[in-house]
């Protein structure tokens, strides 16, 4: 159990087996902090095409990670997590010209749009019961690579179900800290709360997960 969820709550993201930060889209440390994001946002809002592309390069990896964390590998009425992430980026660009900086973080707006798009995707499934959500196959007994991959997917799915049973704020903080890889400060800016609150809530959420994992013989 200790290998799956770290006891400590460091400033960096806590590694959890079955949830990995995308290796093909690394993000420089602190790139989404308000003081570094604001100048890019301001230039993009004013119509600078280079700034628009720079903004997309900054937010897209985080948006993709967030959508994958919230949706996982499920197809929601033909919408994958990456499809939803694309919709989020388009929605961000749509509202950008009218964005007004009132002292908060642009990351708060991005996270809110992403959360709404994910919720919309789930609602579309609820409205259309005729399109089944894909199910994972039964766990195999062998040890070859494809079967091990299925076991890893099963582990991630089971852990995802445990996370989904947590309060919404706990889910959001774990998604942003562990999967997206935001710092406590960036997560606080995205959620509109204090960094101290993020750290405390993350600690409590991980404690609840450890308890559920122990109770269910994970």
């Amino acid at each position: 159990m200790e290998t799956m969820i770290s006891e400590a709550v460091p400033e960096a993201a806590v590694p959890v087996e079955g949830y990995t930060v995308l290796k093909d889209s690394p993000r420089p440390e602190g790139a989404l902090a308000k003081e570094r994001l604001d100048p890019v946002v301001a230039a993009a809002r004013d119509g600078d095409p280079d700034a628009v592309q720079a903004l997309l390069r900054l937010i897209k990896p985080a948006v993709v990670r967030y959508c994958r964390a919230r949706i996982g590998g499920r197809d929601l009425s033909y919408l994958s997590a990456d499809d939803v992430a694309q919709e989020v980026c388009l929605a961000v660009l749509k509202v950008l010209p009218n964005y007004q900086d009132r002292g908060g973080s642009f990351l708060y707006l991005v996270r809110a749009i992403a959360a709404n798009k994910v919720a919309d995707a789930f609602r579309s499934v609820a409205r259309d019961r005729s399109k089944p959500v894909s199910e994972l196959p039964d766990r195999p007994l062998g040890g070859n690579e494809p079967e091990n991959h299925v076991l890893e997917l099963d582990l991630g799915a089971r852990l995802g179900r445990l996370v989904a049973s947590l309060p919404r704020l706990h889910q959001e903080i774990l998604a942003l800290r562990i999967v997206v890889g935001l710092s406590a400060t960036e997560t606080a800016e995205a959620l509109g709360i204090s960094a101290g609150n993020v750290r405390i809530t993350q600690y409590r959420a991980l404690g609840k997960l450890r308890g559920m994992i122990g109770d269910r013989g994970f």
Side-chain angles (χ1 to χ4, degrees):
M1 180 170 65
E2 289 80 2
T3 60
M4 296 181 62
I5 301 178
S6 171
E7 293 285 347
V9 185
E11 179 66 17
V14 179
V16 174
E17 186 174 344
Y19 287 83
T20 57
V21 174
L22 300 181
K23 296 179 180 178
D24 57 347
S25 54
R27 178 179 58 79
E29 182 66 26
L32 296 181
K34 176 177 169 56
E35 62 272 13
R36 298 185 67 179
L37 192 58
D38 280 358
V40 181
V41 172
R45 181 192 57 201
D46 292 340
D48 183 341
D50 292 335
V52 171
Q53 293 304 313
L55 179 61
L56 284 176
R57 286 195 297 269
L58 284 173
I59 69 171
K60 187 174 181 179
V63 169
V64 170
R65 293 183 187 115
Y66 177 85
C67 292
R68 289 184 181 180
R70 302 300 297 168
I71 294 176
R74 290 167 288 181
D75 283 331
L76 303 180
S77 293
Y78 303 108
L79 279 179
S80 69
D82 289 3
D83 292 329
V84 176
Q86 183 69 16
E87 289 191 3
V88 172
C89 290
L90 292 174
V92 169
L93 293 182
K94 185 176 180 179
V95 303
L96 182 61
N98 296 320
Y99 173 72
Q100 296 182 9
D101 185 357
R102 294 187 172 91
S105 172
F106 188 72
L107 199 56
Y108 182 90
L109 176 63
V110 174
R111 202 282 312 176
I113 291 174
N116 286 335
K117 289 296 184 182
V118 168
D120 287 344
F122 279 108
R123 280 193 291 267
S124 71
V125 172
R127 289 193 300 266
D128 189 357
R129 299 291 184 179
S130 66
K131 296 183 176 64
V133 177
S134 58
E135 297 288 343
L136 288 171
D138 292 334
R139 291 176 56 177
L141 299 177
N144 60 35
E145 282 189 17
E147 291 170 337
N148 284 337
H149 179 62
V150 170
L151 288 174
E152 290 174 1
L153 289 176
D154 180 53
L155 173 64
R158 286 184 288 151
L159 184 56
R161 285 192 289 270
L162 293 183
V163 172
S165 69
L166 295 173
R168 177 56 61 87
L169 180 60
H170 291 200
Q171 295 180 41
E172 290 290 310
I173 287 176
L174 291 183
L176 293 171
R177 292 282 281 132
I178 295 173
V179 186
V180 178
L182 298 187
S183 68
T185 299
E186 292 168 339
T187 300
E189 292 176 353
L191 295 172
I193 59 179
S194 69
N197 195 350
V198 167
R199 294 186 181 94
I200 291 172
T201 305
Q202 179 184 348
Y203 180 81
R204 290 174 178 170
L206 292 175
K208 289 181 180 180
L209 278 181
R210 281 192 292 269
M212 289 189 290
I213 288 170
D215 291 343
R216 303 185 187 189
F218 210 86

